[in-house]
């Protein structure tokens, strides 16, 4: 990004919008660029409290009468020397006609001068009048190199011992995804907790990071103990995932493989979509971050929702390689289809920014999305090339049902030889994985209440007492199947098996 900013400034772009909440870091980066230019440029910073102050000067050394945004911009227009002018948090004022107008005047007057305005703010807000003139850049979170400096400062300060290369890398990797201030804070916390900072403190840092990420409320770190073997059936899907276990390694890049982008799992409720997404994290050894779309939406302020999404994606990218898990995608973007303008178009804008991000992302963030109402999904998601693959998870086949019974019984009892899995499978035609699990649990309650061990007959009784969703919602399930058969790849063993299934 620094590179890109440098180029934009040298190419005399008049107006750059830098989205960041890390003002200090971003100012330093701009100052470094300004000094590397020939001729060097002065850097000025405007805030609504102090007006314009030259970078590095005390706050009271302010230019007269530059507190109001228009006055500040007028002052900038009058400057003859080359310079970079940072306007911090202009976003609440930017829509005012006078502000927008004076920015346009500034842009027009900058032709042939070496002057650049940088708008710096944690959220992006650009009036239509300026959309064509402004370049928006995201200021990324610190990379390994920058975190290394933070770590070195920390070690100097505490006069810590030298770290081995591996220990250093682990400590740096653990802090990826944090801002510079946060990284400083977690290193300090680890130091204070155990009196040192070594490889053994990595867990402290990771758990701090999880808390920090949770606090921003949109991304959630998910830890799943279950392995992919806890998922019954879905052999095709599992094979696909297993084949890609090492897809994010250096070795795969050297081999010439492209980075997987993402997958969409469509399917009938309760058949293991969420479960398989969660277990992929262990299979691939990558962190799993759940993006809660419901929390992205924030009507309190124009642009807030976009800022939320942007921040969440930025965090995911900085932790990458990682899996970004979006459960129930159909619910997240429901508002963006059809003519629902009820939220002032926010959901379609969010949807648009998400698609753009997916399209353009270079970082190894694998998107794993699930959905069960295809008709609610905007068509753009389903277009070829958006996801590497779209899988359809149907109701389990008889063999898959046996497998699921076996998994859930083994989870609860050591010896399951007294159960006739084939019979259970036959009797539970039309059941989802979740319903199979529920039948076992119901049987256990029944027997437990009578103070005895549960049996085959208890499970059969529970099965008989259940009216599966596939029957109560037969129409929806059939419609989904018909739709998916043509457009998605079956997650189970083979297509032939589905075609045999009728109900
Ligand atoms: N194929 C399966 N193998 C083993 N267990 C399963 C399977 N399918 C479902 N289950 C059980 O049912 C639970 C619910 O499944 P899950 O949440 O993955 O369903 P889903 O497909 O995401 O449903 P929804 O569309 O309602 O979100 C799982 O946690 C698991 O215990
Ligand atoms: Mg689910």
């Amino acid at each position: 990004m620094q590179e890109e900013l440098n180029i934009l400034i040298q190419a005399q772009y008049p107006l750059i919008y830098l989205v960041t909440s890390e003002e200090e870091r971003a100012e330093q980066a701009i100052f470094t660029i300004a000094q590397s230019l020939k001729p060097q440029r002065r850097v000025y910073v405007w805030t609504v409290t102090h007006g314009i102050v030259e970078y590095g000067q005390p706050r009271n050394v302010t230019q007269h009468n530059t507190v109001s945004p228009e006055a500040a911009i007028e002052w900038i227009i009058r400057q003859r020397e080359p310079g970079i002018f940072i306007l911090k948090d202009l976003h609440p004022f930017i829509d005012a006609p006078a502000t927008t107008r004076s920015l346009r005047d500034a842009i027009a007057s900058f032709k042939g001068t070496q002057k650049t305005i940088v708008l710096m703010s944690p959220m992006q807000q650009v009036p239509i009048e300026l959309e064509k003139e402004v370049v928006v850049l995201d200021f990324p979170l610190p990379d390994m190199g920058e975190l290394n400096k933070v770590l070195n400062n920390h070690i100097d300060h505490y006069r810590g011992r030298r770290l081995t290369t591996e220990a250093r890398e682990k400590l740096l990797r653990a802090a990826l995804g944090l801002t510079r201030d946060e990284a400083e804070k977690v290193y300090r916390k680890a130091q204070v907790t155990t009196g040192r900072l070594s490889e053994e403190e990595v867990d402290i840092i990771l758990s701090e990071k999880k808390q920090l990420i949770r606090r921003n409320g949109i991304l959630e770190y998910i830890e799943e103990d279950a392995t992919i073997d806890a998922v019954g059936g879905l052999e095709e899907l599992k094979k696909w995932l297993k084949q890609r276990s090492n897809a994010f390694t250096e070795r795969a890049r050297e081999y010439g493989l492209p980075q997987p982008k993402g997958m969409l799992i469509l399917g009938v409720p309760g058949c293991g979509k969420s479960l398989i997404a969660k277990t992929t994290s262990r299979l691939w050894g990558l962190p799993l971050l759940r993006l809660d779309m419901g929390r992205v939406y924030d009507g309190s302020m124009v642009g807030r929702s976009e800022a939320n999404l942007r921040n969440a994606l930025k965090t995911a990218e900085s932790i990458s390689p990682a899996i970004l898990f979006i459960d129930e995608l159909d619910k997240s973007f429901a508002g963006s289809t059809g003519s629902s303008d009820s939220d002032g178009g926010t959901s379609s804008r969010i949807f648009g920014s998400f698609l753009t991000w997916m399209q353009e992302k270079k970082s190894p963030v694998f998107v794993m999305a699930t959905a069960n109402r295809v008709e609610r999904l905007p068509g753009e998601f389903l277009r070829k090339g958006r996801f590497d693959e779209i899988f359809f998870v149907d109701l389990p086949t008889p063999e898959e049902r046996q497998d699921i019974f076996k998994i859930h019984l083994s989870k609860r009892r050591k010896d399951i030889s007294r159960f006739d899995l084939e019979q259970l499978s036959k009797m539970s035609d039309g059941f989802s994985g979740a319903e199979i699990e529920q039948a076992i649990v119901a049987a256990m309650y029944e027997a437990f209440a009578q103070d005895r061990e549960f049996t085959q007959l208890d499970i059969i009784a529970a099965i008989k007492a259940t009216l599966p969703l596939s029957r109560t919602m037969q129409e929806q399930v059939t419609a989904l199947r018909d739709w998916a058969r043509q457009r998605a790849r079956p997650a189970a063993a083979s297509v032939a098996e589905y075609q045999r299934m009728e109900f």
Side-chain angles (χ1 to χ4, degrees):
M1 197 290 317
Q2 212 132 318
E3 191 67 10
E4 205 175 343
L5 188 58
N6 198 339
I7 291 168
L8 291 175
I9 292 174
Q10 290 204 50
Q12 300 190 13
Y13 275 69
L15 188 59
I16 299 168
Y17 200 126
L18 197 56
V19 186
T20 180
S21 55
E22 290 187 275
E23 289 183 343
E24 208 187 305
R25 236 185 99 225
E27 277 174 51
Q28 278 170 11
I30 292 172
F31 185 65
T32 311
I33 292 173
Q35 287 201 307
S36 72
L37 295 175
K38 283 191 189 99
Q40 285 190 359
R41 298 220 208 156
R42 295 181 130 176
V43 176
Y44 295 89
V45 180
W46 173 87
T47 55
V48 73
T49 40
H50 296 279
I52 291 182
V53 176
E54 184 164 358
Y55 181 79
Q57 294 286 323
R59 281 178 170 180
N60 54 4
V61 190
T62 171
Q63 308 296 331
H64 280 298
N65 277 331
T66 50
V67 165
S68 93
E70 298 91 76
I73 297 165
E74 285 306 319
W75 183 89
I76 293 169
I77 293 174
R78 286 201 304 274
Q79 299 312 298
R80 297 185 175 274
E81 304 274 297
I84 300 175
F85 307 90
I86 303 173
L87 307 182
K88 290 210 274 198
D89 286 339
L90 188 72
H91 64 270
F93 313 101
I94 201 166
D95 280 322
T99 314
T100 309
R101 185 66 245 171
S102 40
L103 277 174
R104 296 187 74 180
D105 291 344
I107 293 166
S109 77
F110 282 7
K111 289 224 170 69
T113 69
Q114 285 171 322
K115 296 200 295 191
T116 310
I117 290 181
V118 178
L119 304 176
M120 190 187 287
S121 150
M123 53 193 285
Q124 181 188 337
Q125 192 167 340
V126 181
I128 306 169
E129 297 92 320
L130 290 172
E131 258 170 13
K132 288 218 168 63
E133 338 254 5
V134 59
V135 190
V136 180
L137 277 186
D138 253 317
F139 193 64
L141 291 162
D143 58 12
M144 297 278 274
E146 219 175 327
L147 288 171
N148 198 27
K149 283 186 208 148
V150 173
L151 185 56
N152 281 338
N153 287 342
H154 177 95
I155 294 170
D156 286 348
H157 182 81
Y158 284 92
R159 297 204 181 82
R161 268 191 294 143
R162 282 190 47 143
L163 295 164
T164 62
T165 317
E166 288 93 53
R168 178 174 289 273
E169 181 166 346
K170 279 187 189 157
L171 287 167
L172 294 178
R173 214 163 263 295
L176 277 178
L178 300 177
T179 65
R180 191 174 67 187
D181 289 350
E182 287 169 342
E184 279 167 5
K185 221 180 297 166
V186 297
Y187 286 146
R188 212 155 45 226
K189 167 111 188 244
Q191 180 92 35
V192 173
T193 312
T194 62
R196 58 172 188 188
L197 189 61
S198 72
E199 214 165 335
E200 275 150 54
E201 276 66 53
V202 166
D203 284 340
I204 302 180
I205 294 166
L206 284 176
S207 86
E208 279 295 302
K209 176 158 93 174
K210 278 170 202 167
Q211 280 190 24
L212 284 167
I213 286 175
R214 209 163 279 152
R215 206 172 304 153
N216 95 8
I218 293 159
L219 280 182
E220 184 192 357
Y221 235 100
I222 297 199
E223 274 152 301
E224 175 64 45
D225 292 328
T227 65
I228 196 146
D229 298 324
V231 186
L234 312 184
E235 292 305 329
E236 271 299 303
L237 175 51
K238 285 190 211 163
K239 194 171 103 198
W240 194 95
L241 291 170
K242 282 177 184 164
Q243 270 184 350
R244 283 159 184 76
S245 291
N246 295 312
F248 290 102
T249 57
E250 242 352 271
R251 211 159 52 82
R253 292 297 82 68
E254 278 162 22
Y255 194 83
L257 282 171
Q259 231 148 214
K261 285 183 286 197
M263 76 183 327
L264 174 60
I265 311 178
L266 296 171
V268 182
C271 290
K273 298 185 296 296
S274 304
L275 182 64
I276 202 148
K278 286 190 238 164
T279 56
T280 305
S281 157
R282 281 220 25 205
L283 182 69
W284 287 2
L286 299 182
L288 183 69
L289 299 165
R290 198 167 81 98
L291 176 62
D292 187 339
M293 272 299 180
R295 300 212 187 137
V296 165
Y297 294 103
D298 182 337
S300 69
M301 219 171 163
V302 179
R304 221 330 77 100
S305 312
E306 282 92 332
N308 285 345
L309 180 69
R310 208 176 247 282
N311 281 337
L313 296 176
K314 193 151 83 172
T315 306
E317 288 192 325
S318 61
I319 296 173
S320 67
I323 302 173
L324 185 69
F325 174 37
I326 309 178
D327 210 9
E328 313 194 331
L329 187 71
D330 41 348
K331 297 199 180 106
S332 321
F333 292 114
S336 54
T337 51
S339 59
S340 93
D341 285 28
S342 52
D343 60 355
T346 305
S347 48
S348 15
R349 277 204 312 277
I350 291 287
F351 170 64
S353 351
F354 183 76
L355 276 186
T356 313
W357 174 80
M358 264 196 80
Q359 193 108 16
E360 291 174 358
K361 82 182 150 73
K362 300 253 165 18
S363 49
V365 176
F366 185 81
V367 177
M368 207 153 185
T370 76
N372 46 40
R373 300 279 299 269
V374 276
E375 75 279 8
R376 287 220 221 137
L377 274 181
E380 288 93 324
F381 266 127
L382 306 166
R383 207 171 288 156
K384 263 266 168 271
R386 195 74 72 186
F387 291 99
D388 296 312
E389 193 67 85
I390 301 178
F391 274 101
F392 175 58
V393 174
D394 204 340
L395 288 168
T397 61
E399 292 77 31
E400 288 183 313
R401 287 201 299 274
Q402 276 198 43
D403 205 15
I404 298 171
F405 270 111
K406 190 164 142 203
I407 287 169
H408 284 286
L409 286 169
S410 309
K411 219 196 248 174
R412 291 160 174 94
R413 288 295 180 268
K414 272 205 189 72
D415 179 20
I416 60 161
S417 59
R418 63 197 161 97
F419 296 104
D420 178 352
L421 300 176
E422 205 179 322
Q423 187 191 26
L424 292 175
S425 158
K426 266 204 194 105
M427 305 215 52
S428 57
D429 191 27
F431 275 50
S432 68
E435 285 159 345
I436 290 175
E437 185 180 17
Q438 278 316 305
I440 296 174
V441 172
M444 288 175 76
Y445 269 117
E446 185 66 33
F448 182 69
Q450 296 169 25
D451 203 15
R452 57 175 177 82
E453 178 59 339
F454 71 107
T455 64
Q456 176 89 0
L457 287 178
D458 291 316
I459 304 178
I460 291 176
I463 291 172
K464 285 189 169 154
T466 309
L467 188 57
L469 213 66
S470 63
R471 239 155 275 160
T472 54
M473 291 177 39
Q474 190 168 354
E475 257 171 54
Q476 281 102 312
V477 175
T478 311
L480 177 62
R481 280 180 158 180
D482 289 344
W483 185 93
R485 228 172 243 159
Q486 298 168 30
R487 296 175 183 85
R489 179 162 160 187
S494 72
V495 190
E497 241 163 318
Y498 282 99
Q499 283 156 357
R500 271 193 276 116
M501 276 175 78
E502 230 44 83
F503 75 108

